């Protein structure tokens, strides 16, 4: 993602994956006859639908502090979840014990949601082909841990060499090789291997009078370990250090309505939170989203087209199949300001008379699937980014966002801007501190007055939380101008 005071390396542009050779099919996680037996037991009380979800995930996590590796851990999580649906009711049980008797007990427990007396039936399944939007070779689990710790040591060295004012460097590396299998009583059986890795660096710089500022940067995706040859830990560390040093001497942010320009890339997190969650089908079905019942209506500026795309090549949020076994899809949610669609998992799709959009995702076998985003981005416009900035006489340039929150029921959002600059007569001015953006999602979309021709995904560091479940996601947008948005600050104009 670019920054206000110095350029940084761009992440690869959003594009569909080219055809790739499939890796040899590994040994099945569970024998197919056992999966079919679990489905039969799950339906023994007469449910409408049953599903078996199998997962085996190997994770490596490394942490660096004070120029030393503080921890390096590898862990295995595996288990089986069984879901039964009867009308609008859902029964779910899981087991991390792979003994057949334990798995059958889980299936029988899930079946109790249906109180009928169904006749004994069989549910044969057939393996379905899945698309390939990522291919990681060798699997990340096969890479030596020493190479992973080495990335963080390199990052620490580069950050400290960047500027003498860098006083503290913390780093983290995490990867996982996740294998899943999903089978259901519709006869569908799918498998996928999902490798994912990410590196992050936090830098604290100290200026005059003991002032301290923090910079954070990172990225990754469903990419092989060789990704770090081009998106290097040195680049990550220098960008984190640049952010921290660049904002030393920041002035207090002026509060009040302003014109805001968003930097391309990670600024898409604003779109994800303020708009994306409100388009998820569970909130729509319950009528708790501000976007419920507005299909076909104008909800944003003509310049706004929002897409959720699970098929982005090697994207952090990309999926060959979702956690219900359905293929990932590219979905146009808002087109030229008009609301076109929602994000559906299988359950909410069925209850609403729709079809799944491949949006059913779950954190692990211990969790039920929910409608979730994958890679969500704003389509590019035709304005040159430099012209967008030149047109603003006074305003705020938001280079990097921190945390934020949104109320789905009314669309109200608040976001911390961790790196921001004054705009004065079309040019970047001094850095500002304590800036927040405050507004209502649909109103902010209607006030989008310029969309740049410089689309950019984030570098691959998004984590989305919902109902206690965390999922990897991608975001992105080009340079965007939003008029008359409320800026929170500590100085009155």
């Amino acid at each position: 993602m670019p920054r206000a005071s110095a350029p940084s390396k761009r992440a690869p542009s959003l594009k569909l994956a080219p055809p790739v050779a499939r890796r040899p099919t590994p040994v099945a996680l569970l024998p197919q006859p056992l999966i079919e037996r679990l489905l039969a037991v799950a339906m023994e009380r007469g449910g409408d639908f049953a599903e078996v979800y199998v997962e085996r995930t190997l994770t490596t996590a490394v942490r660096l502090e004070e120029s030393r590796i503080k921890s390096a851990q590898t862990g295995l999580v595996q288990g089986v979840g069984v879901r039964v649906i009867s009308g609008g009711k859902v029964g779910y049980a899981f087991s991390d014990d792979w003994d057949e008797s334990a798995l059958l007990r889980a299936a029988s427990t899930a079946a109790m949601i249906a109180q009928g007396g169904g006749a004994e039936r069989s549910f044969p399944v057939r393996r379905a082909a899945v698309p390939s939007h990522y291919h990681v070779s060798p699997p990340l689990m096969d890479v030596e841990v020493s190479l992973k710790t080495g990335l963080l040591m390199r990052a620490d060295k580069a950050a400290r060499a960047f500027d003498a004012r860098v006083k503290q460097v913390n780093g983290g590396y995490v990867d996982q090789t996740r294998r899943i299998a999903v089978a259901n009583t519709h006869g569908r059986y799918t498998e996928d291997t999902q490798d994912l890795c990410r590196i992050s660096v936090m830098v604290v710089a100290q200026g005059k009078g003991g002032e301290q500022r923090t910079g954070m940067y990172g990225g990754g995706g469903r990419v092989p370990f060789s990704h770090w040859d081009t998106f290097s830990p040195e680049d990550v560390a220098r960008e984190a250090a640049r952010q921290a040093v660049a904002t030393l001497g920041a002035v207090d942010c002026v509060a009040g309505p302003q014109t805001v320009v968003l930097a391309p890339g990670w600024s898409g997190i604003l779109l994800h939170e303020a708009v994306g969650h409100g388009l998820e089908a569970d909130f729509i079905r319950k009528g708790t989203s501000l976007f419920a019942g507005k299909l076909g209506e104008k909800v944003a500026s003509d310049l706004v087209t929002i897409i959720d795309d699970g098929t982005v090549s090697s994207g952090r949020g990309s999926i060959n199949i979702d956690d219900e076994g359905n293929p990932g899809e590219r979905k146009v949610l808002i087109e030229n300001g008009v609301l076109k669609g929602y994000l559906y998992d299988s359950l909410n799709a069925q209850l609403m008379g729709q079809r799944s959009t491949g949006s059913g995702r779950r954190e692990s076998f211990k969790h039920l699937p929910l409608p979730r985003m994958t890679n969500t981005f704003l389509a590019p416009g035709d304005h040159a980014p430099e012209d967008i900035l030149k047109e603003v006489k006074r305003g705020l340039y938001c280079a990097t966002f921190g945390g934020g929150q949104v109320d789905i029921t009314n669309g109200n959002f608040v976001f911390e801007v961790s790196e921001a600059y004054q705009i004065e007569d079309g040019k970047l001015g001094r850095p500002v501190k304590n800036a927040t953006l405050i507004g209502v999602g649909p109103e902010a979309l209607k006030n989008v007055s310029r969309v740049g021709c410089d689309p950019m995904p984030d570098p691959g560091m998004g984590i989305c939380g919902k109902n206690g479940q965390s999922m990897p996601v991608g975001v992105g947008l080009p340079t965007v101008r939003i008029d008359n948005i409320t800026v929170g600050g500590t100085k009155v104009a």
Side-chain angles (χ1 to χ4, degrees):
M1 73 184 78
R3 295 291 183 263
S5 61
S8 61
K9 291 194 175 181
R10 293 191 173 195
S13 60
L14 289 166
K15 59 183 179 180
L16 296 182
V20 296
R22 296 290 293 169
R23 67 181 67 169
T25 302
V27 176
L29 289 170
L30 278 185
Q32 186 168 321
L34 176 54
I35 289 176
E36 293 175 348
R37 175 63 177 149
L38 293 175
L39 290 172
V41 171
M43 295 289 283
E44 64 186 2
R45 290 177 176 263
D48 301 322
F49 172 86
E51 167 195 85
V52 173
Y53 176 85
V54 189
E55 176 193 5
R56 185 179 190 273
T57 299
L58 188 66
T59 301
T60 298
V62 183
R63 184 169 58 91
L64 175 140
E65 293 179 10
E66 300 173 347
S67 299
R68 297 175 57 188
I69 299 298
K70 286 291 186 178
S71 64
Q73 300 175 327
T74 297
L76 174 66
V77 173
Q78 60 182 11
V80 178
V82 182
R83 177 171 60 154
V84 176
I85 298 175
S86 179
K89 299 182 296 183
V90 178
Y92 193 74
F94 63 85
S95 173
D96 57 7
D97 183 345
W98 287 52
D99 182 77
E100 182 172 343
S101 61
L103 298 180
L104 291 171
R105 283 196 300 273
S108 181
T109 300
M112 292 181 181
I113 195 70
Q115 295 302 317
E120 184 173 337
R121 292 177 285 170
S122 62
F123 295 92
V125 296
R126 172 178 289 186
R127 184 186 296 269
V130 299
S132 180
H133 305 301
Y134 38 81
H135 178 65
V136 176
S137 182
L140 296 171
M141 62 183 288
D142 293 343
V143 177
E144 291 291 334
V145 175
S146 60
L147 297 177
K148 302 171 184 180
T149 61
L151 295 177
L152 295 183
M153 296 303 296
R154 289 164 54 189
D156 180 81
K157 183 178 179 181
R160 294 182 184 279
F162 182 83
D163 193 289
R165 289 170 290 182
V166 170
K167 301 301 180 183
Q168 182 179 338
V169 180
N170 292 335
Y173 171 90
V174 62
D175 69 36
Q176 64 177 211
T177 298
R178 180 183 189 231
R179 287 189 61 200
I180 64 171
V182 190
N184 62 42
T185 49
H186 292 160
R188 183 177 177 85
Y189 176 85
T190 51
E191 289 190 1
D192 193 26
T193 298
Q194 302 170 341
D195 284 272
L196 184 69
C197 58
R198 180 172 66 114
I199 191 172
S200 59
V201 176
M202 184 189 75
V203 171
V204 177
Q206 184 170 305
K208 295 179 180 179
E211 176 197 11
Q212 292 188 340
R213 301 294 295 172
T214 300
M216 294 187 67
Y217 193 60
R222 300 199 185 281
V223 293
F225 196 76
S226 58
H227 178 72
W228 309 117
D229 295 338
T230 52
F231 188 77
S232 74
E234 287 84 2
D235 290 338
V236 171
R238 283 190 284 264
E239 172 59 18
R242 186 206 61 76
Q243 291 179 26
V245 171
T247 53
L248 287 171
V251 297
D252 289 328
C253 181
V254 176
Q258 296 189 42
T259 295
V260 167
V261 177
L262 307 180
W266 178 241
S267 298
I269 190 64
L270 177 68
L271 186 77
H272 170 102
E273 293 288 357
V275 180
H277 279 300
L279 299 177
E280 292 167 341
D282 48 353
F283 299 127
I284 298 298
R285 179 175 64 84
K286 297 171 185 176
T288 56
S289 168
L290 197 62
F291 293 101
K294 294 187 177 181
L295 277 179
E297 295 185 16
K298 196 71 176 293
V299 296
S301 159
D302 292 342
L303 302 176
V304 172
T305 294
I306 297 175
I307 298 165
D308 185 83
D309 192 353
T311 71
V312 173
S313 175
S314 302
R316 179 168 170 81
S318 296
I319 49 175
N320 290 330
I321 57 172
D322 70 1
D323 294 319
E324 297 178 306
N326 298 310
E329 294 184 12
R330 182 182 189 273
K331 293 84 63 180
V332 178
L333 303 175
I334 297 175
E335 184 174 25
N336 299 326
V338 177
L339 181 58
K340 292 292 187 177
Y342 303 124
L343 297 169
Y344 292 99
D345 64 326
S346 294
L347 175 61
N348 285 284
Q350 176 187 339
L351 295 174
M352 298 173 71
Q354 302 292 326
R355 68 169 189 87
S356 168
T357 56
S359 305
R361 307 185 68 193
R362 65 181 103 195
E363 181 176 321
S364 76
F365 69 93
K366 298 179 181 180
H367 301 87
L368 284 165
L370 301 170
R372 305 290 294 269
M373 286 171 276
T374 55
N375 304 295
T376 310
F377 57 92
L378 181 69
D382 55 10
H383 296 93
E386 58 271 19
D387 291 340
I388 294 176
L389 190 63
K390 287 178 182 177
E391 293 174 353
V392 180
K393 184 172 180 58
R394 293 195 180 279
L396 186 72
Y397 184 86
C398 301
T400 306
F401 282 85
Q405 59 184 10
V406 62
D407 186 333
I408 299 298
T409 61
N410 55 30
N412 291 338
F413 64 81
V414 178
F415 279 92
E416 173 195 356
V417 187
S418 54
E419 183 185 3
Y421 298 84
Q422 296 172 340
I423 303 175
E424 299 174 349
D425 296 322
K427 297 180 181 180
L428 295 182
R430 296 185 65 180
V432 301
K433 60 185 178 181
N434 303 320
T436 58
L437 296 188
I438 305 167
V440 180
E443 294 304 317
L445 291 183
K446 291 176 182 177
N447 289 335
V448 171
S449 60
R450 296 289 187 274
V451 175
C453 59
D454 54 339
M456 184 185 297
D458 80 282
M461 55 185 181
I463 299 174
C464 173
K466 177 181 176 180
N467 289 11
Q469 297 190 44
S470 295
M471 296 299 301
V473 296
V475 299
L477 43 62
T479 300
V480 173
R481 170 177 166 172
I482 307 177
D483 297 328
N484 198 35
I485 189 169
T486 300
V487 175
T490 53
K491 182 178 179 181
V492 178

